Amino acid sequence: REGGAGAPREFEIAYSAAEHLVAAPGGAAQGPTEVALIDDDGSAADGVDALVRDARGQLREALIAAAYIARRVRGAGAAEPAGGDLRFRDVAVLARRRSTIPLVELALARLEIPYVVAGRALFDAAEVRDVAAILRLLLDPRDRLALATVLRGPMVALSDTALAVLAPPGRGLTVPLLGRWTSAAGAQGGRAPWPEDDGPGDARPLPALARLSAADRERLEAFRARFAGLRRAALRSTPGEAIRAAVSAFDLDRVLAALPRAQARLGNVDRLISIARRRGGSLASFARWLERRIRDEADEPEAAVFSPEDDAVRLTTIHASKGLDFPAVVLLDLNAEPRADQPGLSYIPAAGDVPAALLVRHHARRVDRPSRLGSLHDVEGSAHGPSLPLSTPALQAARAEVRARERAERQRLTYVAITRARRELVLVGAAVKPRSGSAWLTLKGTANAEDPAPLAGTIGATLEARALLAEARPPAPGTDAYARAALIPRAAPATEPARAQTVRIATASLATFQACSRRFRLRHLLGISEPPGEGQLGLFDAEGPAELPGEERVELDDGADPRPAGRAAHRVLQRWPRARWGEPTEAADVVARLAFEGLAPHGPDTPRVAEGIARFLGGPYARAVRGEEAALLREEALVLDIDPQSAGERRGARLALALALDLVVLHPSGLVDVIEYKRARPRADLAPYELRLRAYALALRRRHPDRPIRAGVLFVGAEVEPAWLKASGPVGSIADEEHARFERELARLAERFSEARAEGRFDGIPVEACRRLRCGFVRACHG
């Protein structure tokens, strides 16, 4: 105990002389010393760069540690062969404070020393915090904290001078991210929406944008131009897609790739995108969740975990290194003084016979002079004067208790730190006076000769920090991280990418791939919602002249979504009683069923859909089906299996095509009709639906090999008879040679799909073809 009085309490540590740590002797293979001390007098040799010359405190210790590792692993220079008995993976740098770790990263990256960090939370990474800031800014462009983070971060990289210009006194940081950067004369009420400062004398205010340097102004204007377009898309996107769009819009991936630890930084962003996709929800909810995770530091692991494959220096805190050991350990922050947290209300645990207690700190107002009766000013001044803490015996005893517990915890951590090394222990210490309660005070020695320092007599070498910093250099060009001549890597033999043996896909997806492989990738692989303004997801064609004479053009109201009406019409036709096919049908009855399926009964599109369904159910085709007593199959699910060898192809992937047939009519005469419902403007050319129709027909042909198959489309709401696919068989059925030819086409299409997935190549098509497909990605692909 302090002063040597009294017996140790249960939380205190008292080492006897027999328990003092002594470095184990080692052979020559273990290096010249076991314990080394790097003495830093704070000076720098001539010729070093400004960073080393002006560094102080934690940064200087980090630079010294990096210089020692470079010398120990690479050698001392030309006089000593490059490469010693240590490798980067054998060295660990332990710091008492987490704030030291980023400084060590900077020092190691400066000398091109590879490293890995353990114990770091994902949400503590700078790149993750930058992404969180841009998400907050997309949701609220007036968030000044997020704006400052983004403008000063890697996405914009404005200078400190630019931020000062954009944040004049009395207004704070103000940048109009949306709209035009207007002038003061056009501002409402004579107040400019952008920051400005008064010019000299009677000159007019000089806009802040004009006062920026050319480089800062160009970066800021580029950011504003991209931000407006990104925000419109991000607010309609999922959190994962919004993050990926922000990374792409501001070239954050390229910036991170140019920074130290590029792979780790890019991996953190990719991991955040994966978390966002897995959580789902809205962008606002994910941004709030991410802010809570950053604020709470909830994902920080309790222990360090390193991969043995990483040939890199290990960086971690002393607390996280418990249970690990390393061939060589460099200790930092030895002179850090522990500071006990003493809030207004403290809990003192029980110790021995002393029970647990709550400590309440009291304060009193200082009254410099007595208030005069009737003087309101003096009364208020006394009530709002400075408050001073009251010192009581209980408070003094509690403070001594807290200091003792902090000292005991520091001793335990120091023991953990100096016992992590198997071969070498390196202490980085300053020449300044050791601080009270620091590990440096304990390790360097005490004034009492009867109580020597734990490592007294074991320090085998003392190195000068000045010399280490003077000789520290990154490896020469053309050498590897160990300063050896870099080997020219041999080109790996070209291997053919693995291809899928079986392609399992839905008919609609395969039809999209057949029309445009890039559109398939965007919609089905990346899950990006196709903008409905141009293509309406291929479900509704509302542009162009009528293709059939006399047909009424079907239009959509502005902002209407065609998908609910289409789904409701399918379900009504699916559930309509077979006994009522061919009977006169009232549109009001159909409207009631559409309303039951979720379509608004008074919607602008409901009467038109109901009238079209009623005309079909009472039309000639429905009457013929009822009169023949034909069998009906509705919403039939099938799988069409295509073997490439059976189709006449030498190679290729097997195709398992999932089919969903809207209506199959089995006529008593043997003819089989397969019909697909479409809520679209009637077409004379059924080419957009040909792949699906022929796949349906081929699947039914295999089920009914002795019956002719006919395939067509019923344009619900506009037609009373199906439009049949042109074929060469009897009564418009598809001939056997047409089935065989289509089967070969499917086999070749499956092979092309397998190649595209294996090689990651999804080429686009000419813009004219995109417009014919009504594709919503035309602007994204072609500008």
Side-chain angles (χ1 to χ4, degrees):
R1 300 182 63 182
E2 289 184 349
R9 285 166 284 192
E10 60 182 11
F11 59 82
E12 291 182 319
I13 301 175
Y15 294 107
S16 65
E19 294 173 315
H20 285 176
L21 296 174
V22 179
Q30 291 185 326
T33 61
E34 291 294 332
V35 180
L37 173 64
I38 301 179
D39 192 10
D40 180 23
D41 60 0
S43 64
D46 297 335
V48 298
D49 54 27
L51 177 64
V52 177
R53 184 179 63 251
D54 300 334
R56 297 291 184 271
Q58 294 173 271
L59 177 57
R60 185 172 177 88
E61 290 190 14
L63 294 172
I64 294 172
Y68 175 81
I69 295 171
R71 178 179 182 181
R72 189 67 184 85
V73 176
R74 293 171 178 162
E80 182 176 340
D85 57 327
L86 287 181
R87 291 294 178 262
F88 290 121
R89 62 173 174 268
D90 299 330
V91 184
V93 179
L94 305 185
R96 184 178 299 274
R97 297 170 290 191
R98 290 189 57 83
S99 59
T100 307
I101 299 296
L103 301 178
V104 180
E105 295 181 56
L106 173 64
L108 294 176
R110 175 176 170 269
L111 299 182
E112 298 183 12
I113 297 176
Y115 62 90
V116 290
V117 183
R120 165 182 289 166
L122 170 68
F123 303 125
D124 193 36
E127 54 273 8
V128 174
R129 292 174 179 257
D130 289 334
V131 172
I134 191 63
L135 294 184
R136 297 202 317 270
L137 197 62
L138 289 172
L139 294 169
D140 183 8
R142 296 170 297 179
D143 189 331
R144 293 187 175 181
L145 179 59
L147 178 61
T149 303
V150 172
L151 294 183
R152 194 64 183 91
M155 280 180 268
V156 188
L158 291 185
S159 63
D160 292 336
T161 303
L163 289 184
V165 171
L166 296 172
R171 291 192 183 181
L173 184 62
T174 305
V175 175
L177 297 179
L178 304 176
R180 298 177 58 188
W181 194 304
T182 59
S183 62
Q188 184 177 1
R191 187 176 181 88
W194 37 259
E196 61 180 19
D197 287 338
D198 292 338
D202 297 332
R204 297 183 60 184
L206 184 63
L209 182 64
R211 297 182 58 209
L212 300 180
S213 65
D216 285 335
R217 183 165 59 250
E218 182 180 357
R219 286 194 293 267
L220 181 58
E221 285 297 279
F223 171 74
R224 292 180 63 248
R226 297 176 183 178
F227 180 85
L230 173 65
R231 187 170 187 264
R232 287 193 296 268
L235 295 180
R236 299 194 301 266
S237 304
T238 60
E241 294 305 324
I243 296 175
R244 185 167 292 280
V247 170
S248 176
F250 302 124
D251 294 331
L252 184 59
D253 50 350
R254 298 185 181 181
V255 175
L256 296 179
L259 296 177
R261 298 178 58 250
Q263 293 181 352
R265 296 177 189 273
L266 293 174
N268 287 338
V269 175
D270 286 340
R271 182 181 170 194
L272 181 64
I273 294 174
S274 300
I275 293 174
R277 287 177 172 173
R278 184 170 63 250
R279 285 189 58 84
S282 65
L283 182 61
S285 64
F286 179 78
R288 290 193 299 269
W289 175 85
L290 182 58
E291 282 301 304
R292 289 195 300 269
R293 300 291 288 182
I294 293 176
R295 182 178 62 251
D296 299 339
E297 298 182 355
D299 69 334
E300 181 178 349
E302 296 180 354
V305 179
F306 294 104
S307 172
E309 291 78 16
D310 292 329
D311 186 15
V313 176
R314 278 74 164 116
L315 304 184
T316 185
T317 60
I318 297 175
H319 188 273
S321 67
K322 294 179 180 179
L324 301 177
D325 59 359
F326 311 93
V329 170
V330 180
L331 286 185
L332 303 179
D333 293 338
L334 295 177
N335 205 27
E337 181 179 2
R339 298 181 181 272
D341 186 17
Q342 295 181 345
L345 181 64
S346 305
Y347 170 74
I348 308 299
D353 298 334
V354 180
L358 287 177
L359 173 66
V360 181
R361 302 183 64 187
H362 296 279
H363 294 74
R365 297 291 180 184
R366 179 179 178 180
V367 182
D368 293 329
R369 63 178 184 268
S371 60
R372 292 173 295 179
L373 184 62
S375 175
L376 179 62
H377 172 76
D378 288 347
V379 173
E380 291 181 351
S382 301
H384 296 86
S387 61
L388 301 176
L390 294 179
S391 179
T392 63
L395 178 62
Q396 295 174 3
R399 286 178 176 174
E401 178 84 5
V402 171
R403 284 196 299 267
R405 291 181 180 274
E406 288 293 329
R407 184 171 59 255
E409 176 64 18
R410 187 264 303 163
Q411 290 175 341
R412 285 189 287 268
L413 281 181
T414 303
Y415 176 84
V416 170
I418 62 181
T419 54
R420 298 308 93 195
R422 295 199 302 264
R423 292 167 49 185
E424 295 183 18
L425 176 64
V426 182
L427 310 176
V428 180
V432 298
K433 181 181 178 180
R435 296 177 180 175
S436 174
S438 66
W440 185 232
L441 178 64
T442 303
L443 296 175
K444 194 172 184 180
T446 63
N448 187 359
E450 297 179 357
D451 186 18
L455 297 181
T458 62
I459 296 178
T462 301
L463 306 176
E464 291 186 2
R466 175 190 176 99
L468 288 174
L469 294 174
E471 69 182 23
R473 297 288 187 276
T479 59
D480 63 4
Y482 288 97
R484 301 170 301 196
L487 298 177
I488 300 177
R490 295 182 178 179
T495 58
E496 186 175 353
R499 298 181 181 178
Q501 300 298 318
T502 302
V503 174
R504 295 179 177 87
I505 191 172
T507 315
S509 302
L510 187 62
T512 304
F513 175 81
Q514 182 190 40
C516 177
S517 61
R518 183 178 296 173
R519 188 186 191 190
F520 167 83
R521 177 177 180 269
L522 294 174
R523 287 176 55 174
H524 299 282
L525 297 184
L526 300 182
I528 299 177
S529 298
E530 185 171 340
E534 299 184 31
Q536 297 292 347
L537 301 180
L539 298 176
F540 202 95
D541 297 321
E543 297 181 2
E547 295 189 8
L548 294 182
E551 291 294 341
E552 178 184 0
R553 180 173 176 178
V554 182
E555 298 286 354
L556 267 183
D557 293 339
D558 291 339
D561 187 353
R563 289 167 290 184
R567 289 192 292 264
H570 274 68
R571 287 193 291 266
V572 168
L573 289 171
Q574 175 189 355
R575 298 174 182 177
W576 194 268
R578 181 188 177 283
R580 295 183 57 186
W581 276 56
E583 294 182 352
T585 304
E586 296 292 336
D589 191 6
V590 181
V591 169
R593 291 178 177 266
L594 289 173
F596 179 77
E597 299 296 344
L599 199 62
H602 302 293
D605 205 34
T606 304
R608 182 167 53 246
V609 175
E611 292 174 2
I613 294 176
R615 288 198 303 268
F616 168 73
L617 292 174
Y621 184 82
R623 287 197 299 271
V625 169
R626 179 186 179 188
E628 297 176 358
E629 296 184 356
L632 300 181
L633 300 177
R634 289 178 275 193
E635 299 298 327
E636 187 79 0
L638 297 176
V639 175
L640 178 60
D641 185 38
I642 302 296
D643 187 353
Q645 295 182 354
S646 301
E649 297 294 325
R650 297 182 179 180
R651 50 173 293 181
R654 195 180 190 92
L655 177 64
L657 196 59
L659 311 177
L661 282 61
D662 293 340
L663 176 64
V664 178
V665 181
L666 304 175
H667 296 276
S669 61
L671 179 65
V672 178
D673 290 341
V674 55
I675 300 173
E676 184 175 19
Y677 302 140
K678 282 295 176 185
R679 280 201 66 253
R681 181 167 47 84
R683 292 175 175 269
D685 182 12
L686 299 183
Y689 318 111
E690 184 172 0
L691 185 141
R692 283 172 285 187
L693 294 177
R694 291 192 179 276
Y696 302 156
L698 181 59
L700 290 175
R701 179 65 173 176
R702 292 184 177 182
R703 175 180 286 190
H704 307 283
D706 55 342
R707 307 183 69 168
I709 310 296
R710 188 170 56 168
V713 176
L714 174 64
F715 294 98
V716 180
E719 283 286 288
V720 296
E721 293 283 335
W724 301 106
L725 187 67
K726 295 181 180 180
S728 58
V731 294
S733 64
I734 301 175
D736 291 340
E737 56 272 14
E738 292 179 288
H739 284 301
R741 184 168 57 252
F742 177 69
E743 188 172 358
R744 290 192 298 269
E745 292 177 2
L746 283 182
R748 288 192 289 267
L749 187 59
E751 174 65 11
R752 186 159 64 90
F753 181 87
S754 176
E755 292 178 357
R757 289 301 308 271
E759 299 175 1
R761 293 183 57 185
F762 296 89
D763 299 327
I765 58 177
V767 64
E768 295 78 10
C770 294
R771 293 195 177 99
R772 286 195 298 268
L773 293 174
R774 311 287 201 272
C775 179
F777 299 114
V778 173
R779 294 181 182 176
C781 291
H782 300 282

